Amino acid sequence: MLNLFANMMFIGVILAAIYVLGSRVIKLPLFVLKEISVEGMSTNQLENTKLRYITRQEIESIARNEVRGNFFTVNLDALRETFKSLPWVRSAKVQRTWPSGLKVMLEEHSAFAYWGDTALVNRQGEIFRAPTDEILPVFTGPSEESVSVIIDQYKIFNKLLEPIKQNVAEITLSPRHAWLVRLENGTLLKLGREKIETRLRRYISVYSQSIVNMNQSIPLEYVDLRYPNGFAIRLSEAMPQVSRKTGTGKKL
């Protein structure tokens, strides 16, 4: 028993010595963080990309105010979450680089559309909030869960509109799931809740034969395609072109 107790005491002294020595070693000036490299990364995280929206000032502010500790003691998880809090950051990775550096890899959101007047939608169908004045389509829906449905329909609508060289500027999905589509030329298409693609094809099929000639002289305010075998139109004396954004210099 005495030998066992003596061995345990010896092991305890050794571990305490290692702890004290290690604590002193990791505090040596050799391991003070001296460099933070920041790179952009793609969605698949397999290649580097150039950062477009994240500014040098934002990175320097985090480096100056949020990086605490040295090479061994810096909290990588907390630092990663701080970078993720930047408006344009979708994901972030932070790694140590021996012996006194950090490597930060940031994936930026790729804006696909505006979400009403309050946010943006990225190409993954995620809603985020960041300042921009890009020219983008505008999506409006009853809830954020409807984003993916609107994105899918936006792609289908634009594909169908290719023969008449028109594009979608705005899509509104009502709480009752009725579809309103405003084209870049300002015309509003009322598609309703059923057979929306069939109704859009009906508009496209007669556009080049009759509507286009009418539209050259009197702009169309809207086309109501909710009728079983036809549609109704409303003419406007002056119909401005619709930009694919909600306003110049828009800040979200």
Side-chain angles (χ1 to χ4, degrees):
M1 292 293 292
L2 289 175
N3 288 337
L4 177 61
F5 180 74
N7 290 336
M8 292 178 63
M9 287 292 293
F10 178 73
I11 293 173
V13 170
I14 294 297
L15 292 176
I18 293 174
Y19 174 78
V20 172
L21 181 61
S23 298
R24 292 181 178 179
V25 168
I26 64 176
K27 293 179 181 179
L28 292 175
L30 174 66
F31 302 113
V32 173
L33 290 172
K34 300 176 182 178
E35 181 182 12
I36 300 178
S37 65
V38 180
E39 300 176 355
M41 64 179 179
S42 61
T43 301
N44 57 22
Q45 300 184 5
L46 297 178
E47 58 183 20
N48 295 337
T49 59
K50 185 177 180 180
L51 295 174
R52 295 181 55 197
Y53 304 103
I54 302 167
T55 66
R56 183 182 183 89
Q57 289 76 13
E58 288 175 319
I59 295 170
E60 289 178 347
S61 176
I62 292 177
R64 182 171 55 253
N65 301 317
E66 303 297 334
V67 177
R68 299 180 178 89
N70 61 20
F71 179 83
F72 291 103
T73 62
V74 63
N75 189 328
L76 298 184
D77 292 334
L79 192 56
R80 182 180 65 250
E81 292 303 313
T82 300
F83 276 105
K84 285 180 65 176
S85 69
L86 294 176
W88 278 100
V89 174
R90 180 172 183 260
S91 65
K93 293 175 65 177
V94 183
Q95 301 173 344
R96 295 180 174 90
T97 54
W98 180 265
S100 57
L102 293 175
K103 181 179 181 180
V104 180
M105 291 168 285
L106 304 176
E107 179 195 354
E108 291 183 315
H109 288 287
S110 179
F112 186 75
Y114 287 105
W115 180 247
D117 293 325
T118 61
L120 293 161
V121 179
N122 66 20
R123 294 189 178 276
Q124 290 75 31
E126 301 162 342
I127 293 177
F128 67 103
R129 288 164 176 80
T132 185
D133 58 359
E134 286 190 74
I135 297 176
L136 300 167
V138 181
F139 297 161
T140 304
S143 67
E144 294 187 356
E145 287 69 27
S146 60
V147 171
S148 59
V149 176
I150 295 175
I151 289 176
D152 290 342
Q153 285 301 145
Y154 170 81
K155 295 176 180 178
I156 293 172
F157 292 158
N158 268 345
K159 186 68 176 178
L160 292 174
L161 289 164
E162 282 182 0
I164 60 173
K165 296 180 173 58
Q166 294 189 26
N167 291 292
V168 174
E170 300 179 23
I171 292 181
T172 299
L173 178 62
S174 75
R176 298 184 63 212
H177 293 273
W179 293 85
L180 295 174
V181 176
R182 187 175 297 279
L183 305 178
E184 287 184 338
N185 63 9
T187 301
L188 179 66
L189 305 181
K190 298 183 178 183
L191 299 177
R193 293 182 294 171
E194 301 175 352
K195 302 178 180 179
I196 56 175
E197 293 169 28
T198 300
R199 291 170 176 175
L200 182 58
R201 288 190 181 96
R202 185 192 308 157
Y203 166 80
I204 294 167
S205 66
V206 300
Y207 177 84
S208 58
Q209 300 174 18
S210 57
I211 295 179
V212 66
N213 296 324
M214 182 184 300
N215 200 25
Q216 288 177 352
S217 57
I218 305 176
L220 296 180
E221 184 173 336
Y222 72 77
V223 180
D224 191 342
L225 295 148
R226 294 173 292 179
Y227 296 89
N229 300 308
F231 53 84
I233 64 174
R234 180 174 180 177
L235 305 179
S236 174
E237 293 183 2
M239 194 69 184
Q241 294 283 324
V242 174
S243 172
R244 298 179 70 188
K245 63 177 180 177
T246 56
T248 302
K250 175 171 180 172
K251 301 298 180 182
L252 302 174

